[in-house]
Amino acid sequence: MNQEIDIQLPHNITLTVKREDLLHPHISGNKFRKLKYNILQAKAEGKTALLTFGGAYSNHIAAAAAAGKEYGFKTIGVIRGEELVNKIGDNPTLSFAKGCGMTFNFVSREAYRQKTDPVFIEALKAKYGDVYILSEGGTNALAIQGCEEILTPEDDVFTHVCVAVGTGGTISGIINSANPHQQVLGFPVLKGAGLSADILKFAQIGNWQLVEGYHFGGYGKVTPELIIFMNDFFEKAGILLDPVYTAKLFFGVIDRVNKGLFPQGARILLIHTGGLQGIAGMNNELIRKKLPVIKT
Ligand SMILES: *Cc1c(COP(=O)(O)O)cnc(C)c1O
């Protein structure tokens, strides 16, 4: 569903939001797209359990747990941070995943870094049996195939398609399905290089670009300015954003519109990739740090 935003913008520019956050109540946004063909593949392979990886507030962990419950798979989450083992009840994401039936394997940050190492994977298979393994963030070729379904032919009217970038899976699907006249802009939410190379593994050559400068300190980091922007946007447009991905995207796009970095009359489509389950965990942190909280 596309929703045009009624806020005053210069240069005759319009903003429209693709509400992927409304796709499913618990398997949110792009994580639904990324899981869809993987779930079908796991079924085709006769697998009964899904194993995947993530951090304490991971949207992917929440989505994989909910998808397992809905589609009849056991789920195992390899979670970064051993200290979380006694804190599941304090963590909204992990509590939710546990409620969906997910089994956790908490590992140290050092061990977590080996998450793609074949030896580590073999050890997990020895422990949990013949599981279907999804990488961190769920990005693989089948995930890209799912993300190619985000844009539809009706979206050809837009001149620009803007999306938040984590691992680069979602933008790859969008690049592959965009019309050649459209420019795809990715807003990385983390510091550091290597994303373009990851995107090029899955995406065709196309009219796309990464826009740096809107990570707000790095992955999962926020500033009071970002929170104030989110609350203001929610009040004006009635659309709730998540602090890790979509808030940074929307801030970046609106900032660049105001700076005159989009052409006159641009029709911009922003992808709301979901992730709203992360707000509760972020607000706990913000309260602890006595910072402004996200209004919902
Ligand atoms: C995971 C996620 C992204 C990033 O998707 P990638 O495919 O990893 O780039 C963007 N938005 C939300 C809300 C997410 O949960």
Side-chain angles (χ1 to χ4, degrees), residues 22-80:
L22 303 177
L23 269 184
H24 187 284
H26 297 303
I27 313 172
S28 121
N30 65 336
K31 298 304 184 280
F32 182 92
R33 303 286 185 184
K34 294 174 88 168
L35 284 165
K36 176 179 166 188
Y37 290 106
N38 278 293
I39 297 275
L40 291 172
Q41 181 65 25
K43 285 260 188 242
E45 290 176 16
K47 297 283 203 297
T48 57
L50 307 173
L51 180 146
T52 193
F53 306 83
Y57 300 110
S58 165
N59 294 330
H60 170 66
I61 286 292
K69 184 178 172 196
E70 182 154 337
Y71 299 105
F73 292 92
K74 281 186 238 160
T75 50
I76 299 123
V78 179
I79 309 293
R80 181 178 59 230

Short mmCIF file of all heavy atoms in Angstrom, two decimals, residues 22-80:
data_model
loop_
_atom_site.label_atom_id
_atom_site.label_comp_id
_atom_site.label_asym_id
_atom_site.label_seq_id
_atom_site.Cartn_x
_atom_site.Cartn_y
_atom_site.Cartn_z
N LEU A 22 3.03 -2.60 7.15
CA LEU A 22 1.68 -3.12 7.40
C LEU A 22 1.46 -4.51 6.78
O LEU A 22 0.35 -5.04 6.85
CB LEU A 22 0.63 -2.15 6.83
CG LEU A 22 0.68 -0.72 7.37
CD1 LEU A 22 -0.37 0.16 6.67
CD2 LEU A 22 0.47 -0.70 8.88
N LEU A 23 2.50 -5.11 6.20
CA LEU A 23 2.34 -6.40 5.51
C LEU A 23 1.82 -7.50 6.43
O LEU A 23 1.05 -8.35 6.01
CB LEU A 23 3.70 -6.89 4.99
CG LEU A 23 4.14 -6.52 3.59
CD1 LEU A 23 5.47 -7.22 3.29
CD2 LEU A 23 3.10 -6.91 2.56
N HIS A 24 2.32 -7.52 7.64
CA HIS A 24 2.01 -8.61 8.56
C HIS A 24 2.19 -8.07 9.97
O HIS A 24 3.10 -7.29 10.21
CB HIS A 24 2.98 -9.77 8.31
CG HIS A 24 2.67 -11.02 9.07
ND1 HIS A 24 2.94 -11.15 10.42
CD2 HIS A 24 2.12 -12.19 8.68
CE1 HIS A 24 2.55 -12.36 10.82
NE2 HIS A 24 2.05 -13.01 9.79
N PRO A 25 1.35 -8.46 10.92
CA PRO A 25 1.48 -7.88 12.27
C PRO A 25 2.81 -8.20 12.97
O PRO A 25 3.27 -7.41 13.78
CB PRO A 25 0.29 -8.46 13.04
CG PRO A 25 -0.27 -9.55 12.20
CD PRO A 25 0.15 -9.29 10.78
N HIS A 26 3.41 -9.34 12.68
CA HIS A 26 4.64 -9.71 13.41
C HIS A 26 5.85 -9.99 12.52
O HIS A 26 6.98 -9.90 12.98
CB HIS A 26 4.41 -10.92 14.31
CG HIS A 26 3.41 -10.67 15.38
ND1 HIS A 26 3.56 -9.65 16.28
CD2 HIS A 26 2.23 -11.27 15.67
CE1 HIS A 26 2.52 -9.64 17.10
NE2 HIS A 26 1.70 -10.60 16.74
N ILE A 27 5.60 -10.36 11.28
CA ILE A 27 6.73 -10.62 10.37
C ILE A 27 6.85 -9.36 9.53
O ILE A 27 6.23 -9.22 8.49
CB ILE A 27 6.48 -11.87 9.49
CG1 ILE A 27 5.96 -13.03 10.34
CG2 ILE A 27 7.75 -12.26 8.76
CD1 ILE A 27 5.50 -14.22 9.54
N SER A 28 7.66 -8.43 10.04
CA SER A 28 7.47 -7.06 9.56
C SER A 28 8.23 -6.76 8.28
O SER A 28 9.36 -7.18 8.08
CB SER A 28 7.87 -6.10 10.68
OG SER A 28 8.89 -5.26 10.28
N GLY A 29 7.60 -6.02 7.41
CA GLY A 29 8.23 -5.35 6.28
C GLY A 29 9.13 -6.21 5.44
O GLY A 29 8.74 -7.25 4.91
N ASN A 30 10.36 -5.75 5.33
CA ASN A 30 11.27 -6.44 4.41
C ASN A 30 11.65 -7.82 4.94
O ASN A 30 12.05 -8.68 4.17
CB ASN A 30 12.51 -5.60 4.13
CG ASN A 30 13.37 -5.38 5.36
OD1 ASN A 30 12.90 -5.45 6.49
ND2 ASN A 30 14.63 -5.12 5.14
N LYS A 31 11.50 -8.05 6.24
CA LYS A 31 11.85 -9.38 6.77
C LYS A 31 10.85 -10.43 6.27
O LYS A 31 11.21 -11.58 6.06
CB LYS A 31 11.91 -9.35 8.29
CG LYS A 31 12.97 -8.40 8.85
CD LYS A 31 14.37 -8.70 8.32
CE LYS A 31 15.44 -7.82 8.94
NZ LYS A 31 15.54 -6.47 8.34
N PHE A 32 9.62 -10.03 6.07
CA PHE A 32 8.62 -10.92 5.46
C PHE A 32 9.07 -11.26 4.04
O PHE A 32 9.07 -12.42 3.63
CB PHE A 32 7.26 -10.22 5.45
CG PHE A 32 6.16 -11.06 4.88
CD1 PHE A 32 5.38 -11.85 5.70
CD2 PHE A 32 5.90 -11.06 3.51
CE1 PHE A 32 4.37 -12.64 5.18
CE2 PHE A 32 4.88 -11.84 2.98
CZ PHE A 32 4.12 -12.63 3.82
N ARG A 33 9.46 -10.24 3.28
CA ARG A 33 9.91 -10.47 1.89
C ARG A 33 11.13 -11.40 1.87
O ARG A 33 11.25 -12.26 0.99
CB ARG A 33 10.32 -9.14 1.25
CG ARG A 33 9.23 -8.08 1.24
CD ARG A 33 8.18 -8.40 0.23
NE ARG A 33 7.19 -7.32 0.13
CZ ARG A 33 6.11 -7.40 -0.64
NH1 ARG A 33 5.87 -8.48 -1.38
NH2 ARG A 33 5.26 -6.40 -0.70
N LYS A 34 12.03 -11.19 2.81
CA LYS A 34 13.27 -11.96 2.80
C LYS A 34 13.05 -13.41 3.24
O LYS A 34 13.79 -14.30 2.84
CB LYS A 34 14.30 -11.28 3.71
CG LYS A 34 14.73 -9.92 3.15
CD LYS A 34 15.64 -9.15 4.09
CE LYS A 34 17.08 -9.50 3.86
NZ LYS A 34 17.98 -8.54 4.56
N LEU A 35 12.03 -13.62 4.07
CA LEU A 35 11.78 -14.98 4.57
C LEU A 35 10.94 -15.81 3.60
O LEU A 35 11.06 -17.03 3.57
CB LEU A 35 11.07 -14.91 5.93
CG LEU A 35 11.96 -14.53 7.11
CD1 LEU A 35 11.12 -14.14 8.32
CD2 LEU A 35 12.90 -15.69 7.47
N LYS A 36 10.10 -15.17 2.82
CA LYS A 36 9.08 -15.88 2.04
C LYS A 36 9.65 -17.08 1.25
O LYS A 36 9.23 -18.22 1.46
CB LYS A 36 8.40 -14.90 1.09
CG LYS A 36 7.39 -15.53 0.17
CD LYS A 36 6.73 -14.47 -0.73
CE LYS A 36 5.97 -15.14 -1.87
NZ LYS A 36 5.50 -14.15 -2.85
N TYR A 37 10.59 -16.84 0.37
CA TYR A 37 11.10 -17.94 -0.47
C TYR A 37 12.02 -18.87 0.31
O TYR A 37 12.19 -20.04 -0.06
CB TYR A 37 11.76 -17.41 -1.74
CG TYR A 37 10.73 -16.82 -2.68
CD1 TYR A 37 10.60 -15.45 -2.85
CD2 TYR A 37 9.86 -17.66 -3.37
CE1 TYR A 37 9.63 -14.91 -3.68
CE2 TYR A 37 8.87 -17.13 -4.20
CZ TYR A 37 8.77 -15.76 -4.36
OH TYR A 37 7.79 -15.24 -5.17
N ASN A 38 12.61 -18.38 1.39
CA ASN A 38 13.40 -19.27 2.23
C ASN A 38 12.51 -20.27 2.96
O ASN A 38 12.88 -21.43 3.11
CB ASN A 38 14.22 -18.45 3.23
CG ASN A 38 15.50 -17.92 2.59
OD1 ASN A 38 16.40 -18.70 2.24
ND2 ASN A 38 15.58 -16.62 2.41
N ILE A 39 11.34 -19.81 3.41
CA ILE A 39 10.39 -20.72 4.07
C ILE A 39 9.93 -21.80 3.08
O ILE A 39 9.88 -22.99 3.41
CB ILE A 39 9.17 -19.92 4.59
CG1 ILE A 39 9.59 -18.91 5.65
CG2 ILE A 39 8.06 -20.83 5.05
CD1 ILE A 39 9.68 -19.42 7.04
N LEU A 40 9.63 -21.36 1.86
CA LEU A 40 9.19 -22.34 0.84
C LEU A 40 10.32 -23.34 0.55
O LEU A 40 10.07 -24.54 0.40
CB LEU A 40 8.78 -21.61 -0.44
CG LEU A 40 7.49 -20.77 -0.32
CD1 LEU A 40 7.27 -19.93 -1.58
CD2 LEU A 40 6.29 -21.68 -0.08
N GLN A 41 11.54 -22.85 0.49
CA GLN A 41 12.69 -23.72 0.23
C GLN A 41 12.89 -24.71 1.39
O GLN A 41 13.13 -25.90 1.17
CB GLN A 41 13.95 -22.87 0.04
CG GLN A 41 15.22 -23.65 -0.26
CD GLN A 41 15.16 -24.38 -1.59
OE1 GLN A 41 14.43 -23.99 -2.50
NE2 GLN A 41 15.92 -25.47 -1.69
N ALA A 42 12.77 -24.21 2.61
CA ALA A 42 12.95 -25.08 3.78
C ALA A 42 11.89 -26.19 3.78
O ALA A 42 12.20 -27.36 4.06
CB ALA A 42 12.86 -24.25 5.07
N LYS A 43 10.67 -25.83 3.43
CA LYS A 43 9.60 -26.84 3.33
C LYS A 43 9.94 -27.86 2.24
O LYS A 43 9.80 -29.06 2.45
CB LYS A 43 8.26 -26.17 2.97
CG LYS A 43 7.60 -25.43 4.10
CD LYS A 43 6.49 -26.25 4.74
CE LYS A 43 5.72 -25.40 5.75
NZ LYS A 43 5.77 -25.87 7.11
N ALA A 44 10.39 -27.34 1.08
CA ALA A 44 10.71 -28.23 -0.04
C ALA A 44 11.83 -29.21 0.33
O ALA A 44 11.85 -30.34 -0.14
CB ALA A 44 11.10 -27.40 -1.26
N GLU A 45 12.74 -28.74 1.18
CA GLU A 45 13.84 -29.61 1.60
C GLU A 45 13.44 -30.52 2.76
O GLU A 45 14.27 -31.28 3.27
CB GLU A 45 15.05 -28.76 2.02
CG GLU A 45 15.73 -28.06 0.85
CD GLU A 45 16.87 -27.15 1.30
OE1 GLU A 45 17.34 -27.27 2.46
OE2 GLU A 45 17.30 -26.31 0.48
N GLY A 46 12.20 -30.41 3.21
CA GLY A 46 11.73 -31.25 4.31
C GLY A 46 12.30 -30.87 5.66
O GLY A 46 12.26 -31.66 6.62
N LYS A 47 12.81 -29.67 5.79
CA LYS A 47 13.38 -29.24 7.07
C LYS A 47 12.25 -28.94 8.07
O LYS A 47 11.16 -28.49 7.68
CB LYS A 47 14.22 -27.96 6.87
CG LYS A 47 15.42 -28.15 5.95
CD LYS A 47 16.53 -28.86 6.66
CE LYS A 47 17.91 -28.62 6.07
NZ LYS A 47 18.12 -29.07 4.70
N THR A 48 12.53 -29.17 9.34
CA THR A 48 11.53 -28.88 10.37
C THR A 48 11.96 -27.75 11.30
O THR A 48 11.20 -27.33 12.16
CB THR A 48 11.23 -30.13 11.22
OG1 THR A 48 12.46 -30.58 11.79
CG2 THR A 48 10.62 -31.24 10.37
N ALA A 49 13.21 -27.29 11.13
CA ALA A 49 13.69 -26.22 12.02
C ALA A 49 14.49 -25.20 11.23
O ALA A 49 15.19 -25.53 10.27
CB ALA A 49 14.55 -26.80 13.13
N LEU A 50 14.37 -23.94 11.67
CA LEU A 50 15.15 -22.83 11.09
C LEU A 50 16.14 -22.35 12.14
O LEU A 50 15.76 -22.18 13.30
CB LEU A 50 14.25 -21.64 10.74
CG LEU A 50 13.02 -21.85 9.89
CD1 LEU A 50 12.21 -20.54 9.83
CD2 LEU A 50 13.42 -22.27 8.48
N LEU A 51 17.38 -22.15 11.74
CA LEU A 51 18.37 -21.59 12.68
C LEU A 51 18.90 -20.31 12.07
O LEU A 51 19.25 -20.25 10.89
CB LEU A 51 19.50 -22.60 12.89
CG LEU A 51 20.62 -22.17 13.85
CD1 LEU A 51 21.16 -23.37 14.63
CD2 LEU A 51 21.77 -21.47 13.14
N THR A 52 18.96 -19.27 12.89
CA THR A 52 19.49 -18.01 12.38
C THR A 52 20.21 -17.22 13.47
O THR A 52 20.32 -17.69 14.60
CB THR A 52 18.40 -17.20 11.65
OG1 THR A 52 19.02 -16.16 10.91
CG2 THR A 52 17.39 -16.61 12.63
N PHE A 53 20.67 -16.04 13.13
CA PHE A 53 21.61 -15.29 13.96
C PHE A 53 21.12 -13.85 14.12
O PHE A 53 20.54 -13.28 13.20
CB PHE A 53 22.98 -15.24 13.27
CG PHE A 53 23.52 -16.58 12.90
CD1 PHE A 53 23.14 -17.21 11.72
CD2 PHE A 53 24.42 -17.23 13.73
CE1 PHE A 53 23.62 -18.46 11.37
CE2 PHE A 53 24.91 -18.49 13.39
CZ PHE A 53 24.52 -19.10 12.21
N GLY A 54 21.42 -13.25 15.27
CA GLY A 54 21.07 -11.84 15.41
C GLY A 54 21.47 -11.25 16.75
O GLY A 54 21.87 -11.96 17.68
N GLY A 55 21.34 -9.94 16.85
CA GLY A 55 21.62 -9.22 18.08
C GLY A 55 20.39 -9.15 18.97
O GLY A 55 19.31 -9.65 18.62
N ALA A 56 20.54 -8.48 20.10
CA ALA A 56 19.53 -8.48 21.15
C ALA A 56 18.20 -7.86 20.71
O ALA A 56 17.15 -8.21 21.23
CB ALA A 56 20.05 -7.73 22.36
N TYR A 57 18.26 -6.94 19.75
CA TYR A 57 17.02 -6.23 19.35
C TYR A 57 16.66 -6.50 17.88
O TYR A 57 15.91 -5.75 17.27
CB TYR A 57 17.20 -4.72 19.57
CG TYR A 57 17.48 -4.37 21.00
CD1 TYR A 57 18.73 -3.91 21.39
CD2 TYR A 57 16.49 -4.54 21.97
CE1 TYR A 57 19.00 -3.61 22.73
CE2 TYR A 57 16.74 -4.24 23.30
CZ TYR A 57 17.99 -3.78 23.67
OH TYR A 57 18.25 -3.49 24.98
N SER A 58 17.20 -7.57 17.34
CA SER A 58 17.12 -7.82 15.90
C SER A 58 15.69 -8.00 15.38
O SER A 58 14.93 -8.85 15.86
CB SER A 58 17.92 -9.09 15.62
OG SER A 58 17.63 -9.59 14.34
N ASN A 59 15.36 -7.22 14.35
CA ASN A 59 14.06 -7.40 13.68
C ASN A 59 14.00 -8.77 13.01
O ASN A 59 12.93 -9.38 12.92
CB ASN A 59 13.87 -6.32 12.60
CG ASN A 59 13.74 -4.94 13.21
OD1 ASN A 59 13.25 -4.79 14.32
ND2 ASN A 59 14.18 -3.94 12.46
N HIS A 60 15.14 -9.21 12.51
CA HIS A 60 15.18 -10.50 11.81
C HIS A 60 14.89 -11.65 12.78
O HIS A 60 14.16 -12.59 12.44
CB HIS A 60 16.54 -10.67 11.15
CG HIS A 60 16.79 -12.04 10.61
ND1 HIS A 60 16.05 -12.55 9.56
CD2 HIS A 60 17.65 -13.01 10.99
CE1 HIS A 60 16.48 -13.79 9.32
NE2 HIS A 60 17.43 -14.08 10.16
N ILE A 61 15.44 -11.58 14.00
CA ILE A 61 15.17 -12.62 15.00
C ILE A 61 13.67 -12.66 15.32
O ILE A 61 13.05 -13.73 15.34
CB ILE A 61 16.02 -12.37 16.28
CG1 ILE A 61 17.49 -12.72 16.01
CG2 ILE A 61 15.48 -13.15 17.49
CD1 ILE A 61 17.80 -14.19 15.80
N ALA A 62 13.09 -11.49 15.55
CA ALA A 62 11.65 -11.43 15.86
C ALA A 62 10.84 -12.00 14.69
O ALA A 62 9.90 -12.79 14.89
CB ALA A 62 11.24 -9.98 16.14
N ALA A 63 11.21 -11.62 13.48
CA ALA A 63 10.45 -12.07 12.30
C ALA A 63 10.61 -13.57 12.08
O ALA A 63 9.63 -14.27 11.77
CB ALA A 63 10.91 -11.30 11.05
N ALA A 64 11.83 -14.08 12.24
CA ALA A 64 12.07 -15.51 12.01
C ALA A 64 11.30 -16.34 13.05
O ALA A 64 10.72 -17.38 12.72
CB ALA A 64 13.57 -15.81 12.07
N ALA A 65 11.28 -15.84 14.29
CA ALA A 65 10.55 -16.56 15.35
C ALA A 65 9.05 -16.60 15.01
O ALA A 65 8.41 -17.65 15.12
CB ALA A 65 10.79 -15.89 16.70
N ALA A 66 8.52 -15.45 14.58
CA ALA A 66 7.08 -15.39 14.26
C ALA A 66 6.76 -16.24 13.04
O ALA A 66 5.73 -16.92 12.99
CB ALA A 66 6.67 -13.94 14.01
N ALA A 67 7.66 -16.24 12.05
CA ALA A 67 7.43 -17.04 10.85
C ALA A 67 7.48 -18.52 11.18
O ALA A 67 6.69 -19.31 10.66
CB ALA A 67 8.48 -16.69 9.78
N GLY A 68 8.39 -18.91 12.06
CA GLY A 68 8.47 -20.32 12.48
C GLY A 68 7.17 -20.77 13.11
O GLY A 68 6.63 -21.83 12.80
N LYS A 69 6.65 -19.91 13.98
CA LYS A 69 5.39 -20.24 14.65
C LYS A 69 4.26 -20.35 13.63
O LYS A 69 3.47 -21.29 13.65
CB LYS A 69 5.07 -19.16 15.68
CG LYS A 69 3.84 -19.45 16.50
CD LYS A 69 3.60 -18.36 17.53
CE LYS A 69 2.27 -18.57 18.20
NZ LYS A 69 1.84 -17.36 18.91
N GLU A 70 4.20 -19.39 12.70
CA GLU A 70 3.10 -19.38 11.75
C GLU A 70 3.17 -20.52 10.73
O GLU A 70 2.15 -21.07 10.33
CB GLU A 70 3.06 -18.02 11.03
CG GLU A 70 1.91 -17.92 10.05
CD GLU A 70 1.46 -16.49 9.81
OE1 GLU A 70 1.72 -15.61 10.67
OE2 GLU A 70 0.87 -16.26 8.74
N TYR A 71 4.39 -20.86 10.31
CA TYR A 71 4.53 -21.85 9.22
C TYR A 71 5.01 -23.21 9.71
O TYR A 71 5.39 -24.06 8.91
CB TYR A 71 5.43 -21.30 8.12
CG TYR A 71 4.83 -20.04 7.51
CD1 TYR A 71 5.35 -18.78 7.81
CD2 TYR A 71 3.72 -20.12 6.67
CE1 TYR A 71 4.78 -17.63 7.28
CE2 TYR A 71 3.14 -18.97 6.15
CZ TYR A 71 3.68 -17.74 6.46
OH TYR A 71 3.09 -16.60 5.93
N GLY A 72 5.04 -23.42 11.03
CA GLY A 72 5.28 -24.76 11.55
C GLY A 72 6.73 -25.21 11.57
O GLY A 72 7.01 -26.38 11.31
N PHE A 73 7.63 -24.32 11.90
CA PHE A 73 9.04 -24.71 12.08
C PHE A 73 9.46 -24.45 13.52
O PHE A 73 9.04 -23.44 14.11
CB PHE A 73 9.97 -23.86 11.20
CG PHE A 73 9.82 -24.11 9.73
CD1 PHE A 73 8.95 -23.35 8.97
CD2 PHE A 73 10.58 -25.10 9.11
CE1 PHE A 73 8.82 -23.57 7.61
CE2 PHE A 73 10.45 -25.32 7.75
CZ PHE A 73 9.57 -24.56 6.98
N LYS A 74 10.31 -25.32 14.04
CA LYS A 74 11.04 -24.94 15.25
C LYS A 74 12.01 -23.83 14.86
O LYS A 74 12.49 -23.80 13.72
CB LYS A 74 11.86 -26.13 15.76
CG LYS A 74 11.04 -27.14 16.51
CD LYS A 74 11.98 -28.20 17.09
CE LYS A 74 11.55 -29.54 16.55
NZ LYS A 74 12.52 -30.60 16.60
N THR A 75 12.34 -22.97 15.79
CA THR A 75 13.32 -21.93 15.47
C THR A 75 14.40 -21.88 16.55
O THR A 75 14.12 -22.05 17.74
CB THR A 75 12.67 -20.53 15.36
OG1 THR A 75 11.85 -20.29 16.50
CG2 THR A 75 11.82 -20.41 14.10
N ILE A 76 15.63 -21.67 16.08
CA ILE A 76 16.77 -21.53 16.97
C ILE A 76 17.45 -20.21 16.64
O ILE A 76 17.77 -19.96 15.48
CB ILE A 76 17.78 -22.70 16.80
CG1 ILE A 76 17.08 -24.02 17.13
CG2 ILE A 76 19.01 -22.50 17.69
CD1 ILE A 76 17.11 -25.01 16.03
N GLY A 77 17.64 -19.39 17.64
CA GLY A 77 18.30 -18.10 17.44
C GLY A 77 19.68 -18.11 18.10
O GLY A 77 19.77 -18.33 19.31
N VAL A 78 20.72 -17.92 17.31
CA VAL A 78 22.07 -17.76 17.87
C VAL A 78 22.23 -16.26 18.12
O VAL A 78 22.20 -15.46 17.19
CB VAL A 78 23.14 -18.28 16.90
CG1 VAL A 78 24.54 -18.08 17.47
CG2 VAL A 78 22.89 -19.75 16.57
N ILE A 79 22.31 -15.89 19.41
CA ILE A 79 22.21 -14.49 19.80
C ILE A 79 23.55 -13.96 20.29
O ILE A 79 24.22 -14.61 21.12
CB ILE A 79 21.16 -14.31 20.92
CG1 ILE A 79 19.82 -14.98 20.55
CG2 ILE A 79 20.97 -12.82 21.26
CD1 ILE A 79 19.07 -14.36 19.41
N ARG A 80 23.91 -12.78 19.80
CA ARG A 80 25.18 -12.15 20.20
C ARG A 80 25.07 -11.61 21.62
O ARG A 80 24.21 -10.77 21.90
CB ARG A 80 25.52 -11.02 19.23
CG ARG A 80 26.83 -10.32 19.54
CD ARG A 80 27.15 -9.23 18.53
NE ARG A 80 26.10 -8.24 18.52
CZ ARG A 80 25.50 -7.80 17.42
NH1 ARG A 80 25.85 -8.26 16.24
NH2 ARG A 80 24.55 -6.91 17.50
#
